[in-house]
C-alpha cells in the first residue's frame, strides 16, 4: 500500500474516532445538563410548595390569635379551619422529598381540634393552637432550610401525653 493511501486511512480513522468521541461527549454533557435542570426544577418546586404551606400555617396562626370569643367568631374560625386544613394538606402533599416533614407536621397539627375535648376556654385554646402552629412552623422551616428536622419540644410532648391520657380516660373511665 502506498504511503499516501496509508496516511489517508489513518487520518480518516482518526476523524471517525474524533467525531465519535465528540458525539459521545455531547450526548453525555446533554444528559448531565438535563439531569441538573431537573434537579434544579425539583428544588425550586420543593421550596415554592414548602413556602406556600409555611405561609398558610403562619396565616392560620394569625387567624387563631385574632379570633373573637363569641359564637359567631368561633363558627367563623371553625369554617376557616376546615377550609385551611383541606388546602394545607394539599399544599404539603406536593412538596417533593417531604415524607418525614409531612408526617411530623400532620402529627402536630392533628392535635388542633382537641382544645374543645379538653374543655379549654378561648384563651387556653388560642395558646394551645399557637404552640402547635409554632411547633409545625419550626419543622417546616427546618425542612425548607434543608436542616435535620428538630426534635419535638417538651411542651408538645407534654401536651400530646395530656391528650392521650384524656383519650384513655374517655375510653375507659374506670
Amino acid at each position: 500500500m502506498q504511503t499516501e493511501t496509508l496516511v489517508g486511512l489513518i487520518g480518516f480513522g482518526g476523524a471517525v474516532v474524533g467525531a465519535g468521541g465528540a458525539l459521545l461527549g455531547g450526548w453525555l454533557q446533554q444528559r448531565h445538563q438535563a439531569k441538573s435542570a431537573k434537579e434544579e426544577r425539583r428544588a425550586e418546586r420543593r421550596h415554592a410548595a414548602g413556602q406556600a404551606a409555611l405561609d398558610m400555617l403562619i396565616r392560620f396562626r394569625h387567624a387563631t390569635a385574632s379570633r373573637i370569643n363569641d359564637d359567631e367568631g368561633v363558627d367563623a374560625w371553625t369554617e376557616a379551619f376546615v377550609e385551611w386544613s383541606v388546602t394545607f394538606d394539599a399544599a404539603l402533599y406536593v412538596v417533593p422529598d417531604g415524607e418525614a416533614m409531612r408526617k411530623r407536621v400532620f402529627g402536630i397539627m392533628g392535635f388542633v381540634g382537641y382544645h374543645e375535648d379538653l374543655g379549654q376556654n378561648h384563651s387556653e385554646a388560642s395558646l394551645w393552637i399557637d404552640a402547635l402552629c409554632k411547633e409545625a412552623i419550626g419543622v417546616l422551616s427546618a425542612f425548607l432550610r434543608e436542616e435535620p428536622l428538630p426534635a419535638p419540644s417538651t411542651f408538645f410532648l407534654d401536651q400530646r401525653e395530656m391528650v392521650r391520657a384524656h383519650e384513655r380516660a374517655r375510653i375507659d373511665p374506670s
Side-chain angles (χ1 to χ4, degrees):
M1 195 180 286
Q2 291 186 8
T3 307
E4 295 87 17
T5 306
L6 189 58
V7 169
L9 287 175
I10 291 173
F12 179 71
V16 168
V17 169
L23 288 173
L24 179 64
W27 178 74
L28 288 173
Q29 182 178 11
Q30 185 275 334
R31 225 177 105 178
H32 176 71
Q33 286 174 343
K35 185 177 179 182
S36 294
K38 183 178 179 180
E39 288 172 3
E40 187 175 322
R41 285 190 309 271
R42 186 174 179 81
E44 287 172 5
R45 193 171 63 244
R46 177 182 195 236
H47 183 75
Q51 188 62 49
L54 182 62
D55 291 344
M56 291 174 73
L57 192 53
I58 291 168
R59 283 194 313 270
F60 176 69
R61 181 178 177 220
H62 176 73
T64 298
S66 61
R67 177 180 116 190
I68 56 175
N69 194 15
D70 60 19
D71 289 339
E72 185 177 307
V74 172
D75 290 344
W77 179 86
T78 303
E79 184 177 317
F81 173 68
V82 169
E83 182 180 334
W84 171 82
S85 64
V86 170
T87 55
F88 184 69
D89 284 1
L92 279 185
Y93 277 119
V94 299
V95 177
D97 305 323
E99 185 60 33
M101 175 272 300
R102 276 190 292 278
K103 186 176 181 181
R104 284 282 306 282
V105 171
F106 288 152
I108 294 165
M109 296 309 291
F111 288 102
V112 167
Y114 277 96
H115 63 85
E116 290 178 4
D117 291 347
L118 298 173
Q120 295 176 333
N121 64 34
H122 170 70
S123 177
E124 293 168 329
S126 291
L127 292 174
W128 166 271
I129 294 168
D130 186 64
L132 293 172
C133 287
K134 282 196 267 186
E135 187 89 12
I137 287 169
V139 171
L140 194 49
S141 297
F143 175 79
L144 287 173
R145 291 189 307 266
E146 297 183 16
E147 296 175 355
L149 300 181
S153 69
T154 304
F155 174 81
F156 175 73
L157 294 173
D158 291 346
Q159 297 303 311
R160 183 178 68 183
E161 187 52 41
M162 182 176 69
V163 168
R164 288 179 177 167
H166 176 76
E167 286 297 309
R168 286 191 299 270
R170 197 180 80 184
I171 292 169
D172 184 17
S174 56

